[in-house]
Amino acid sequence: MKRFLALTSAVLLSLPIGPAVAEQGGTPGAPGAGDPYFPGQGNGGYDAGHYDLSLDYDPSTGRLSGVARISARATQALSRFNLDLVSTLTVRSVTVDGKPATYAQSGSELVVTPVRGLARGRGFSVQIRYDGSPAHVIDPDGSMDGWIRTGDGVFNANEPQGAMTWYPGNHHMTDKATYRFTVTVPSTRVAVANGDLVSKASRGGRTTYVWDCRESMAGYLTTVSIGTFTFADARIGGHRVTTAVDPQATGDASGFAERHPPVLDYFASLFGPYPFSSTGGIVDHAPEVGYALETQTRPIYPRVPSESLLAHELAHQWFGDSVTPTLWRDIWLNEGFATYGEWLWADRLGTRTVQAAFDEAYATPAEDEFWQTPTADPGGPENLFHAPVYDRGAMTLHALRREVGDATFFAILRTWAREHRHGNADTAAFVALSERVSGRRLDALFDAWLFKPGKPSL
């Protein structure tokens, strides 16, 4: 996740028409998904299945344009529905199933009213044309998020709310979908997105890149990053590794691509098969950003990552990307697991044992604020990326490992990754799974480490 370090556009949603309940008129879909940390994020009344985004970007002017398609199905009888999109981008037209629809923009909501209501269970299509100059937003913790302009392009990191700064959609993490990105940029730039590069074509001084992400993905994990990158795409050690590195990036980027397979193979031996068709990373020159992000299949870094940071973001591919939380308060399921991945990789390298990492964190004095934040509910969006979520989350896993033993502990992690592959799950599900696999009641352990403030006793 966010691991801190020191447009003319059109969208089309479509699915084959299937069996539907013959309900007339319907009611409006909810303007949010009901997450207490971000009440306006996401939308109700429909499920997006696929986004096909065609974007044309000019780094010199900051203007974005394009065409995109997304699949959706009504989950209730809908009279109207919302999409998340910042109002700094101007919508020019909207159609539903090819027919002009009424629409209105307000804040970060695009409200669409089709000519006729949509029956529950019905697949439908929406086409949206919009244009403008995307700009990042500032998160409650003060960090930049979304379409972040750089000197030569875009550093595009969207956790937790940045996706709405550059394309409309249902952007709560529970509405995962597949994606296709068609991105046109000046030929002096490279456009990198999630998934697999399927084609590249140049004409008239501009180059179009097409990327397919065939595994479901939460909106906050999407990226279209643009820059004067040194680009590489090759099979290394059984993995398709795609990397893009800004020549101005801080750090030694030699061997960056080759560093990925050993980490992934080690994690696969512990967590189960790598869940995606490709891997790699984007290293951009963005010192003002201050964090890396586990953008799916292709983490993005503002400088060349250290061994611990690389391990953190690659562990996220299992925990956070493939298995995604249901609510933002469960973010420890991302960050605690990825931090534990750092500890495991350091142990593997022989630089520090997992127990030493645990002991160092546990040495934090009991009166320190670190112990006052319950791991499984840090209290609000401003605390999502604070140390207790990361380190106390990792300590929770190590406490579980000490309680149930190595064989059972790693069986729990493998089962978690397998049973919730490309889906969503919450803390209660992890607790229940741990008890099921171990055959033990673990209430006291999880209560102390996840739900109560204060330093747990050993």
Side-chain angles (χ1 to χ4, degrees):
M1 147 108 44
K2 263 188 182 175
R3 190 46 153 165
F4 286 87
L5 312 174
L7 277 219
T8 296
S9 228
V11 177
L12 180 63
L13 297 100
S14 66
L15 260 186
I17 305 301
V21 177
E23 297 164 295
Q24 299 299 319
T27 56
D35 194 305
Y37 280 16
F38 294 95
Q41 190 179 76
N43 304 285
Y46 67 94
D47 175 41
H50 179 73
Y51 291 79
D52 188 345
L53 306 174
S54 297
L55 308 171
D56 190 304
Y57 186 64
D58 184 349
S60 65
T61 64
R63 297 289 293 183
L64 179 67
S65 65
V67 177
R69 297 174 177 82
I70 312 169
S71 303
R73 187 175 298 280
T75 58
Q76 68 178 63
L78 274 177
S79 60
R80 69 169 187 260
F81 58 91
N82 288 26
L83 295 165
D84 301 316
L85 181 69
V86 295
S87 58
T88 51
L89 295 173
T90 303
V91 174
R92 301 300 183 180
S93 67
V94 179
T95 63
V96 176
D97 290 335
K99 299 178 181 179
T102 303
Y103 63 92
Q105 287 183 269
S106 177
S108 60
E109 298 293 327
L110 171 63
V111 183
V112 177
T113 305
V115 175
R116 295 180 180 177
L118 302 168
R120 177 166 53 91
R122 185 182 188 278
F124 65 96
S125 64
V126 180
Q127 179 168 292
I128 303 162
R129 296 188 177 276
Y130 65 101
D131 59 70
S133 299
H136 66 267
V137 294
I138 301 297
D139 290 331
D141 65 0
S143 63
M144 294 186 289
D145 182 13
W147 193 270
I148 303 168
R149 293 188 67 183
T150 62
D152 61 355
V154 180
F155 183 103
N156 187 201
N158 297 306
E159 188 180 32
Q161 57 184 346
M164 65 181 179
T165 66
W166 58 284
Y167 72 98
N170 195 359
H171 289 317
H172 191 262
M173 55 191 170
T174 49
D175 195 6
K176 301 173 81 169
T178 56
Y179 281 76
R180 183 178 179 89
F181 304 89
T182 302
V183 189
T184 301
V185 293
S187 294
T188 54
R189 303 296 194 275
V190 176
V192 188
N194 313 90
D196 303 332
L197 178 65
V198 296
S199 70
K200 172 188 172 184
S202 298
R203 181 179 180 183
R206 297 182 68 77
T207 300
T208 298
Y209 296 82
V210 180
W211 298 83
D212 269 349
C213 187
R214 294 184 293 274
E215 301 94 0
S216 61
M217 176 166 59
Y220 81 86
L221 296 169
T222 59
T223 190
V224 168
S225 291
I226 300 165
T228 52
F229 298 127
T230 299
F231 182 78
D233 183 22
R235 294 205 69 83
I236 305 173
H239 296 273
R240 182 175 183 180
V241 184
T242 307
T243 58
V245 179
D246 189 322
Q248 298 185 74
T250 303
D252 181 6
S254 59
F256 177 55
E258 290 76 13
R259 292 169 60 192
H260 289 73
V263 183
L264 294 173
D265 291 343
Y266 176 58
F267 285 163
S269 74
L270 300 177
F271 310 146
Y274 177 66
F276 303 111
S277 58
S278 64
T279 186
I282 305 163
V283 181
D284 205 352
H285 179 62
E288 71 281 7
V289 173
Y291 65 85
L293 187 65
E294 67 273 19
T295 43
Q296 189 162 305
T297 68
R298 202 138 297 113
I300 184 166
Y301 308 92
R303 65 191 68 150
V304 178
S306 64
E307 284 296 314
S308 62
L309 182 58
L310 181 71
H312 184 98
E313 304 306 339
L314 293 182
H316 267 308
Q317 303 306 303
W318 283 264
F319 308 116
D321 292 17
S322 178
V323 185
T324 307
T326 302
L327 294 173
W328 283 107
R329 70 184 179 205
D330 291 314
I331 198 65
W332 84 278
L333 293 169
N334 289 13
E335 298 308 333
F337 283 56
T339 301
Y340 202 67
E342 288 184 52
W343 294 3
L344 289 165
W345 183 240
D347 197 328
R348 176 75 165 184
L349 294 177
T351 56
R352 184 176 67 169
T353 66
V354 172
Q355 187 61 47
F358 177 91
D359 292 343
E360 181 180 325
Y362 191 76
T364 304
E367 64 274 14
D368 194 278
E369 184 64 27
F370 174 82
W371 297 110
Q372 306 316 307
T373 301
T375 312
D377 190 353
E382 67 280 3
N383 299 330
L384 281 178
F385 311 118
H386 283 193
V389 173
Y390 292 75
D391 297 327
R392 191 169 170 179
M395 295 172 77
T396 300
L397 293 176
H398 196 59
L400 174 63
R401 181 180 177 181
R402 287 163 51 125
E403 181 72 18
V404 303
D406 281 13
T408 299
F409 173 73
F410 287 108
I412 290 169
L413 295 192
R414 286 191 295 272
T415 304
W416 179 253
R418 183 182 68 252
E419 291 189 355
H420 300 288
R421 183 180 173 93
H422 304 315
N424 298 85
D426 59 14
T427 298
F430 183 73
V431 172
L433 174 69
S434 298
E435 293 188 331
R436 171 163 60 88
V437 174
S438 68
R440 300 175 60 175
R441 289 290 299 274
L442 299 168
D443 307 58
L445 183 148
F446 285 120
D447 195 41
W449 284 98
L450 291 180
F451 303 115
K452 284 185 177 179
K455 185 175 182 177
S457 59
L458 295 181

